[in-house]
Amino acid sequence: MATGSSELLEFDRQIFLDLLNEDGLVIMAKGLGIDRMILNFLKLYCNPKSFVLVLNTSNYQEEYFIEELKAHNVELIPKIITSQYSSIEREEIYLQGGVLFVTPRIL
């Protein structure tokens, strides 16, 4: 994953707006900036009014996105939810909203 700007290029911006306004699926070739796209969606949904589960990310991807969000001064940083949390603890975290990186095992 590339580090740096999360600013979207024109074609990225169009894809982002299309996905924001309509349901969709994006398939992008390596190197076309999918990390920028994901980062911008995460920035959009990192707030208590949203509830987003991000599945099947690697530790590296989770750390990368969390560091990028911190660098962009996002206030509600995603949490990484694993089986170390009890179901009661997970429920409390879910009710706080925002973006959560979760393993499919705990769903």
Side-chain angles (χ1 to χ4, degrees):
M1 296 191 164
T3 59
S5 176
S6 67
E7 188 173 325
L8 296 174
L9 302 173
E10 185 58 38
F11 77 94
D12 288 330
R13 193 174 3 269
Q14 188 59 52
I15 293 169
F16 182 82
L17 292 173
D18 288 347
L19 288 172
L20 190 60
N21 294 319
E22 302 175 29
D23 291 336
L25 170 68
V26 174
I27 300 171
M28 294 179 78
K30 187 175 183 176
L32 288 180
I34 190 69
D35 52 333
R36 284 191 312 266
M37 186 77 59
I38 294 170
L39 181 60
N40 278 283
F41 272 108
L42 293 175
K43 285 174 23 181
L44 179 67
Y45 291 109
C46 279
N47 69 71
K49 294 180 182 178
S50 297
F51 179 68
V52 175
L53 299 176
V54 181
L55 301 174
N56 285 336
T57 50
S58 68
N59 290 340
Y60 174 79
Q61 291 168 322
E62 294 163 356
E63 291 172 17
Y64 168 79
F65 286 119
I66 288 171
E67 288 305 313
E68 287 293 312
L69 291 166
K70 286 178 182 176
H72 286 91
N73 299 316
V74 171
E75 290 184 29
L76 185 59
I77 298 299
K79 293 178 180 68
I80 300 171
I81 308 301
T82 64
S83 59
Q84 74 185 29
Y85 294 99
S86 70
S87 60
I88 294 171
E89 290 171 320
R90 289 194 306 265
E91 181 180 2
E92 291 172 7
I93 293 169
Y94 296 160
L95 291 173
Q96 294 172 11
V99 175
L100 303 172
F101 291 108
V102 299
T103 60
R105 180 178 171 170
I106 59 118
L107 294 177

